[in-house]
Short mmCIF file of all heavy atoms in Angstrom, two decimals:
data_model
loop_
_atom_site.label_atom_id
_atom_site.label_comp_id
_atom_site.label_asym_id
_atom_site.label_seq_id
_atom_site.Cartn_x
_atom_site.Cartn_y
_atom_site.Cartn_z
N VAL B 23 19.13 4.13 -1.51
CA VAL B 23 20.45 3.76 -2.07
C VAL B 23 20.49 4.33 -3.58
O VAL B 23 19.41 4.36 -4.25
CB VAL B 23 20.76 2.29 -2.08
CG1 VAL B 23 20.73 1.81 -0.66
CG2 VAL B 23 19.70 1.43 -2.79
N THR B 24 21.68 4.58 -3.86
CA THR B 24 21.87 4.97 -5.42
C THR B 24 22.07 3.71 -6.20
O THR B 24 22.29 2.50 -5.75
CB THR B 24 23.22 5.79 -5.44
OG1 THR B 24 24.37 5.01 -5.05
CG2 THR B 24 23.17 6.96 -4.60
N ASP B 25 22.09 3.82 -7.49
CA ASP B 25 22.22 2.77 -8.42
C ASP B 25 23.71 2.26 -8.24
O ASP B 25 24.02 1.02 -8.17
CB ASP B 25 22.11 3.17 -9.83
CG ASP B 25 22.37 2.08 -10.82
OD1 ASP B 25 21.62 0.96 -10.77
OD2 ASP B 25 23.23 2.18 -11.75
N LEU B 26 24.69 3.08 -7.92
CA LEU B 26 26.10 2.61 -7.68
C LEU B 26 26.14 1.79 -6.59
O LEU B 26 26.85 0.72 -6.40
CB LEU B 26 26.97 3.83 -7.73
CG LEU B 26 28.50 3.52 -7.42
CD1 LEU B 26 29.03 2.60 -8.47
CD2 LEU B 26 29.33 4.79 -7.28
N GLU B 27 25.49 2.23 -5.34
CA GLU B 27 25.54 1.50 -4.09
C GLU B 27 24.84 0.06 -4.29
O GLU B 27 25.40 -1.01 -3.85
CB GLU B 27 24.75 2.12 -2.98
CG GLU B 27 25.37 3.43 -2.53
CD GLU B 27 24.54 4.17 -1.49
OE1 GLU B 27 23.41 4.55 -1.96
OE2 GLU B 27 24.83 4.32 -0.34
N TYR B 28 23.87 0.08 -5.15
CA TYR B 28 23.18 -1.20 -5.40
C TYR B 28 23.99 -2.13 -6.18
O TYR B 28 24.11 -3.33 -5.82
CB TYR B 28 21.74 -0.94 -6.04
CG TYR B 28 21.00 -2.13 -6.40
CD1 TYR B 28 20.73 -3.23 -5.59
CD2 TYR B 28 20.30 -2.19 -7.75
CE1 TYR B 28 20.01 -4.27 -5.97
CE2 TYR B 28 19.54 -3.22 -8.01
CZ TYR B 28 19.39 -4.21 -7.19
OH TYR B 28 18.62 -5.31 -7.57
N THR B 29 24.65 -1.77 -7.27
CA THR B 29 25.33 -2.51 -8.10
C THR B 29 26.66 -3.02 -7.48
O THR B 29 27.05 -4.09 -7.61
CB THR B 29 25.59 -1.84 -9.47
OG1 THR B 29 26.26 -0.60 -9.23
CG2 THR B 29 24.42 -1.73 -10.33
N THR B 30 27.23 -2.12 -6.59
CA THR B 30 28.44 -2.46 -5.91
C THR B 30 28.03 -3.66 -4.81
O THR B 30 28.81 -4.67 -4.81
CB THR B 30 29.02 -1.29 -5.20
OG1 THR B 30 29.36 -0.24 -6.05
CG2 THR B 30 30.24 -1.63 -4.31
N TYR B 31 27.00 -3.49 -4.05
CA TYR B 31 26.56 -4.44 -3.20
C TYR B 31 26.24 -5.68 -3.84
O TYR B 31 26.59 -6.77 -3.41
CB TYR B 31 25.22 -3.87 -2.44
CG TYR B 31 24.55 -4.82 -1.44
CD1 TYR B 31 25.16 -4.76 -0.16
CD2 TYR B 31 23.58 -5.54 -1.74
CE1 TYR B 31 24.51 -5.61 0.89
CE2 TYR B 31 23.01 -6.41 -0.83
CZ TYR B 31 23.55 -6.47 0.39
OH TYR B 31 22.91 -7.26 1.32
N ALA B 32 25.44 -5.65 -4.87
CA ALA B 32 25.06 -6.80 -5.64
C ALA B 32 26.29 -7.56 -6.16
O ALA B 32 26.27 -8.83 -6.06
CB ALA B 32 24.19 -6.60 -6.77
N THR B 33 27.28 -6.87 -6.69
CA THR B 33 28.48 -7.48 -7.17
C THR B 33 29.17 -8.24 -5.98
O THR B 33 29.59 -9.35 -6.19
CB THR B 33 29.39 -6.54 -7.84
OG1 THR B 33 28.69 -5.92 -9.00
CG2 THR B 33 30.58 -7.22 -8.35
N ALA B 34 29.38 -7.61 -4.84
CA ALA B 34 30.04 -8.15 -3.74
C ALA B 34 29.35 -9.39 -3.20
O ALA B 34 29.96 -10.33 -2.81
CB ALA B 34 30.12 -7.13 -2.69
N LYS B 35 27.93 -9.45 -3.29
CA LYS B 35 27.18 -10.58 -2.78
C LYS B 35 26.91 -11.60 -3.79
O LYS B 35 26.34 -12.61 -3.55
CB LYS B 35 25.94 -10.09 -2.11
CG LYS B 35 26.09 -9.05 -1.08
CD LYS B 35 26.02 -9.69 0.20
CE LYS B 35 24.88 -10.48 0.54
NZ LYS B 35 24.40 -10.59 1.92
N GLY B 36 27.24 -11.30 -5.06
CA GLY B 36 27.13 -12.35 -6.14
C GLY B 36 25.64 -12.46 -6.54
O GLY B 36 25.14 -13.38 -6.96
#
Side-chain angles (χ1 to χ4, degrees):
V23 297
T24 65
D25 181 58
L26 179 60
E27 287 174 300
Y28 178 43
T29 54
T30 301
Y31 178 86
T33 300
K35 299 271 298 208

